[in-house]
Amino acid sequence: MNILFFLSPKQDLMYVYDDFTLRQTLEKWENNRYASIPVLNRRGEYVGTLTEGDILWGLKKHHGLDLEAAEEVPISSFPHKRDYKTVTTSMDQLVEAAMNQNFVPVVDDRGMFIGIVRRQAIIRYCYDKARAEQQHISKPEKKPERKREAAAVH
């Protein structure tokens, strides 16, 4: 199976750049319900994953922060609890990473971010495949009927 079958391409995703301010990040994230998003540099390389928790702990560090002051706080100053492991083409790597991550960042052989594979897409594929196999097993194959030849009467 090709990893690109599961890929959600970069142009369809929400991500932030590592030089965004906290305010820019919050405004971009505001209307989405993602728990974590990819962080890219301006060259298009994946540099990490930002979570809601990272933002909350960062806000604690910058107590008394208002929205205007958030324009001065670079998002890169927020430490990441962990960055998601990237993959290139290996399905084994993809499945292994998806067991521990909501999504798997996919990079090309130059290290450029090209999209993500959501864990949900992998689970859906496995579920559909298992269901189809189960239906195939539960239906007994029909043996072709043999035509009976009438005995010739002379």
Side-chain angles (χ1 to χ4, degrees), residues 112-132:
M112 296 296 165
F113 178 79
I114 61 171
I116 64 171
V117 174
R118 291 181 173 91
R119 181 170 37 200
Q120 177 186 13
I122 297 169
I123 292 170
R124 168 66 56 199
Y125 171 78
C126 293
Y127 173 77
D128 290 345
K129 188 169 182 160
R131 190 169 179 196

Side-chain angles (χ1 to χ4, degrees), residues 35-125:
S36 53
I37 56 172
V39 180
L40 311 179
N41 63 25
R42 290 294 177 168
R43 291 182 304 279
E45 299 165 325
Y46 171 80
V47 296
T49 300
L50 187 66
T51 68
E52 291 172 318
D54 297 337
I55 298 283
L56 290 172
W57 288 111
L59 288 174
K60 180 180 181 252
K61 184 174 112 180
H62 297 282
H63 58 25
L65 190 66
D66 63 17
L67 205 51
E68 277 188 33
E71 291 178 14
E72 305 300 320
V73 178
I75 202 65
S76 59
S77 71
F78 287 64
H80 301 176
K81 181 178 178 182
R82 71 176 184 157
D83 288 321
Y84 287 3
K85 180 180 173 185
T86 61
V87 298
T88 51
T89 58
S90 167
M91 281 300 292
D92 288 340
Q93 285 180 329
L94 174 66
V95 172
E96 186 178 323
M99 285 192 258
N100 299 309
Q101 303 172 184
N102 295 332
F103 65 85
V104 181
V106 180
V107 296
D108 65 15
D109 49 352
R110 298 172 301 141
M112 296 296 165
F113 178 79
I114 61 171
I116 64 171
V117 174
R118 291 181 173 91
R119 181 170 37 200
Q120 177 186 13
I122 297 169
I123 292 170
R124 168 66 56 199
Y125 171 78

